[in-house]
Amino acid sequence: MSTTYVLVPGFWLGASIWRAVADPLRAHGHVVHAVDLSGMGERAHLASPQTDLTTHVDDVVHLLEQHDLHDVVLVGHSYGALVTTGAADRVPERVARLVYIDSGPLPDGTAQADFDGPEARMADEDRVMTDGEGWKLPPPPWSVIAAEVPEVDDDAVAALVESSRPQPWRTATQPVALTGAWERLPRTGVLCSFSLEQLRQMAPGAPVFVHMVDGDWTYVELPTWHWPMVSRPVELAEVLESVSR
């Protein structure tokens, strides 16, 4: 049976980062839409100081409506989870399941920049001001991050570098605005850089995790680093295929 997947990347990345996941899904007869959000990937020319989270939610809603997609498995990685949750909240009737890759839905009124705490946010704001013309967050040094992860090879780093663009900072600072309509949908959490046991230990004391343990959840552990679409793409494709059955 064919399933329709919409794949939304996280910070800095475009649709091309999903290639090694999308190809095996398509080879099995599924329909895959990998998304270049406004200002990212091949749509980098659309970036502006006004590009924010709402812009990106609109991108996904328009994709679903323009292609008249229904029964979609809507997949968000990292920051992309905020985008997919926002889109599902707007058009829940078009979504069959939400999949969160090493991420989860943030509570209403929370911004992505709030997730790692005030010190991390200040460090990012400094980079925006010094290296991002006051409105863009430059990509991280991928090779430095990858050097600590034995399973991440040079091809994976090259894919990340090729796909990266500076992230409009307002996408990180605009708080999530949700009605709760998305909460009716079943969800799958694909846990990569932390385990289910770690999630259950963190959640009670961290308000940002509240939606990652409440509701209709199933969890799959795929141990690797935070970007499994380049470190374990075949296994990630298999996980995505399994959730649609």
Side-chain angles (χ1 to χ4, degrees):
M1 185 177 71
S2 177
T3 298
T4 300
Y5 296 88
V6 174
L7 311 179
V8 181
F11 265 12
W12 305 294
L13 301 172
S16 67
I17 205 63
W18 294 106
R19 190 175 297 134
V21 176
D23 286 351
L25 288 172
R26 291 184 178 120
H28 288 173
H30 302 295
V31 177
V32 182
H33 297 268
V35 179
D36 272 324
L37 298 168
S38 293
M40 314 311 298
E42 294 184 359
R43 303 178 73 213
H45 61 285
L46 298 177
S48 80
Q50 285 71 49
T51 304
D52 59 14
L53 175 59
T54 299
T55 308
H56 288 169
V57 171
D58 288 344
D59 288 338
V60 175
V61 171
H62 292 160
L63 173 74
L64 297 173
E65 292 179 342
Q66 287 169 359
H67 291 272
D68 196 23
L69 302 180
H70 293 271
D71 298 319
V72 167
V73 175
L74 188 53
V75 181
H77 168 249
S78 197
Y79 158 78
L82 278 68
V83 179
T84 54
T85 307
D89 198 60
R90 294 251 299 269
V91 288
E93 70 278 3
R94 294 182 179 272
V95 181
R97 176 173 292 273
L98 287 160
V99 179
Y100 295 95
I101 299 178
D102 217 41
S103 59
L106 290 182
D108 184 57
T110 307
Q112 177 69 33
D114 298 329
F115 183 77
D116 289 324
E119 289 186 9
R121 177 168 180 157
M122 287 179 61
D124 283 340
E125 287 176 342
D126 285 345
R127 291 181 62 213
V128 170
M129 296 308 297
T130 56
D131 301 322
E133 302 176 34
W135 64 274
K136 296 177 288 188
L137 181 65
W142 293 115
S143 59
V144 174
I145 300 172
E148 302 173 5
V149 188
E151 65 184 335
V152 180
D153 60 19
D154 291 344
D155 289 342
V157 173
L160 288 162
V161 171
E162 177 191 354
S163 189
S164 291
R165 303 290 184 273
Q167 182 82 22
W169 185 234
R170 285 186 67 173
T171 64
T173 59
Q174 183 186 17
V176 175
L178 301 169
T179 69
W182 71 276
E183 294 180 37
R184 301 194 301 268
L185 297 169
R187 308 152 221 172
T188 297
V190 183
L191 309 182
C192 302
S193 63
F194 55 95
S195 68
L196 180 55
E197 181 59 30
Q198 288 173 315
L199 172 61
R200 287 176 171 156
Q201 289 175 359
M202 291 186 292
V208 293
F209 285 107
V210 64
H211 286 310
M212 284 201 70
V213 289
D214 292 341
D216 182 5
W217 279 99
T218 56
Y219 300 96
V220 180
E221 293 188 353
L222 183 64
T224 182
W225 73 338
H226 185 55
W227 295 271
M229 66 283 297
V230 297
S231 60
R232 298 186 66 180
V234 174
E235 295 94 330
L236 180 56
E238 290 170 352
V239 169
L240 293 179
E241 195 165 28
S242 72
V243 305
S244 69
R245 294 182 188 134

